[in-house]
Amino acid sequence: MARFVVVAALLLWNGAALAQSPDPVRGPAELYFLAVGAADHSDPDFNPPVPSHHSAEVVARALTDAGAKYGILLTSSPDAGGGVTRGSFHAALTRLKKRIRTDRAKAPRVIVYIMTHGAADPASNYLFMAPDNLVIEEPLVKQEHVFRLARRSIWNIDVLTALMNFRMDERLSHFDKFAYSSLMSDRLGFAMIAEQGANLLRFNLELDRKAAGYGPKPFDNAPIPFVVLFDNCTDGIEENLVEPNPHFDQFVRQVHSATLDAGRAFYAVPPGEVAAPMELPEALASPGDRVVIRGRSVRPNVGPLAIHLKNVLSTAGNGGAMTVEEFASAFRLSGADDPDDFLPAAPYETPAALRPGVATAEFIPARSSVRGEVERVTASSADPVRCCRRID
């Protein structure tokens, strides 16, 4: 029970501090994005591959057309033996943050799109997205393995808290590479509790050391509104990880509440369900969206959230700006009761309330003739990372 409390305490303390920050900067939005497609999995259970790179490319093109200033497109390269790893994902997210600071953006906004296979706990909003080099061994994930899986996967809580913690203030740049799962232990029983306590103590001492040089309160600068699109095909985890432990259940709900007052999180399907890729509808496809398969130029199969994003951006009409809540509301309703079966089913959304100042901030900028920059990163995977076999 204590193993859950040590991480929860840090998350809730940090979330409370950040919640005191002022509203986002007003003015024309400067949109940045990270679009990730992992499709070259080492684990045979994740075959056949999903068209992740096509989805990420479609999303990157759509956001650039919508006025994004800069974005990173991170995809696998099966022909070169490369794949998206946990490390390459977090490195790309850190690179995006550094670029925003380098640009000295006045009103930055961030969209993160991820498509890969994943495992989700139907009893919670935990999602463990599989890097290309992750191999989940038997037995399938159980309660005792959940922290190990979080340390080896792209964990939705790591992604959300990475964006919650992000500020323009250089004094907080040490948070850029930090993932909460790094505080977790691979050990079992009392040894795990002891190690996590030691990890937390070291982390807090380091925070205290840095805070001594902060001067004025470092959290007194505005949050950066964000939206994360988890476009994942998910399998259910066999053992319920949450309900048997009320402290863990409370931790899950409080963490999501703390992370989502400055942003939104959308999932292709509820945890444990399967998201089926679909052919990009003709009405939403731009000329650049077509791909060549077996010598024919066709519209690609992409993830449901990639289709929803294209549809929402098309509703902007004459290219006018959209606030965070306008974008989220359009996304929330996209595909709901679609009479022509034109769109996938409406996305799944984590229940949370945006701060009023965030909700009314401009998010999607008014379109202009200036085309933003897209940095293409082809990931190179390391040796397979194995998880969830009991370590005695």
Side-chain angles (χ1 to χ4, degrees):
M1 190 172 295
R3 59 183 174 177
F4 303 121
V5 175
V6 291
V7 179
L10 174 62
L11 281 164
L12 296 178
W13 170 84
N14 204 30
L18 291 170
Q20 299 170 7
S21 60
D23 289 337
V25 176
R26 299 287 162 170
E30 297 168 272
L31 183 61
Y32 293 78
F33 69 84
L34 170 61
V36 181
D40 187 35
H41 295 285
S42 300
D43 195 327
D45 289 340
F46 292 141
N47 289 322
V50 294
S52 303
H53 60 297
H54 292 321
S55 288
E57 289 166 357
V58 165
V59 165
R61 193 175 301 110
L63 291 173
T64 304
D65 290 344
K69 182 174 183 177
Y70 170 83
I72 297 175
L73 173 61
L74 175 64
T75 58
S76 308
S77 179
D79 295 338
V84 175
T85 66
R86 171 188 163 98
S88 63
F89 169 81
H90 285 287
L93 187 56
T94 300
R95 187 179 183 88
L96 186 72
K97 295 176 181 179
K98 288 183 177 179
R99 174 58 183 260
I100 294 172
R101 287 202 183 99
T102 299
D103 287 349
R104 297 186 181 277
K106 301 297 184 185
R109 314 294 189 241
V110 175
I111 291 180
V112 174
Y113 172 88
I114 310 172
M115 186 178 185
T116 179
H117 283 287
D121 183 354
S124 73
N125 283 307
Y126 265 48
L127 174 63
F128 306 93
M129 293 161 282
D132 282 325
N133 62 335
L134 176 65
V135 177
I136 299 180
E137 299 177 325
E138 297 290 346
L140 292 178
V141 182
K142 297 183 181 297
Q143 286 183 347
E144 64 186 6
H145 297 130
V146 63
F147 284 1
R148 295 174 180 174
L149 182 58
R151 287 173 55 89
R152 291 160 176 78
S153 63
I154 301 172
W155 188 32
N156 65 332
I157 298 297
D158 278 342
V159 178
L160 295 173
T161 52
L163 294 169
M164 176 192 76
N165 286 332
F166 179 40
R167 296 293 192 276
M168 291 294 292
D169 195 323
E170 289 283 355
R171 293 174 297 175
L172 295 180
S173 61
H174 56 278
F175 275 121
D176 286 355
K177 296 181 179 181
F178 176 71
Y180 282 107
S181 59
S182 64
L183 296 175
M184 297 177 178
S185 170
D186 272 352
R187 299 177 182 271
L188 298 176
F190 180 78
M192 181 192 66
I193 297 172
E195 184 173 76
Q196 288 189 180
N199 291 344
L200 181 61
L201 178 61
R202 282 194 297 269
F203 179 68
N204 282 332
L205 288 174
E206 179 65 10
L207 285 185
D208 289 342
R209 185 184 70 80
K210 291 182 179 297
Y214 279 158
K217 292 181 181 179
F219 297 115
D220 283 353
N221 57 104
I224 297 175
F226 65 87
V227 170
V228 184
L229 305 178
F230 295 111
D231 206 0
N232 296 276
C233 184
T234 67
D235 296 317
I237 293 176
E238 283 196 343
E239 181 175 337
N240 187 326
L241 301 179
V242 176
E243 287 183 350
N245 190 316
H247 294 273
F248 194 26
D249 181 50
Q250 184 180 30
F251 162 52
V252 171
R253 287 186 276 107
Q254 289 179 318
V255 164
H256 277 278
S257 176
T259 57
L260 292 175
D261 67 349
R264 307 305 302 145
F266 290 96
Y267 300 78
V269 290
E273 295 187 11
V274 175
M278 296 174 54
E279 184 179 44
L280 182 63
E282 184 174 2
L284 297 178
S286 63
D289 289 332
R290 300 186 72 85
V291 297
V292 177
I293 299 178
R294 298 190 183 92
R296 296 178 57 229
S297 177
V298 298
R299 285 175 279 121
N301 286 343
V302 298
L305 296 191
I307 296 175
H308 287 310
L309 179 65
K310 292 277 287 186
N311 182 57
V312 168
L313 294 177
S314 71
T315 64
N318 60 3
M322 299 177 73
T323 67
V324 180
E325 185 54 46
E326 286 171 343
F327 179 82
S329 295
F331 214 93
R332 188 177 301 122
L333 297 174
S334 182
D337 301 322
D338 181 22
D340 301 319
D341 204 24
F342 173 71
L343 299 170
Y348 173 76
E349 183 179 10
T350 303
L354 284 172
R355 290 167 52 178
V358 172
T360 56
E362 182 177 305
F363 188 71
I364 300 296
R367 298 187 194 183
S368 69
S369 58
V370 179
R371 191 169 179 81
E373 176 189 353
V374 178
E375 181 177 352
R376 291 179 172 266
V377 179
T378 302
S380 177
S381 64
D383 294 333
V385 173
R386 303 182 182 278
C387 179
C388 306
R389 181 177 58 189
R390 186 181 182 89
I391 302 175
D392 295 317

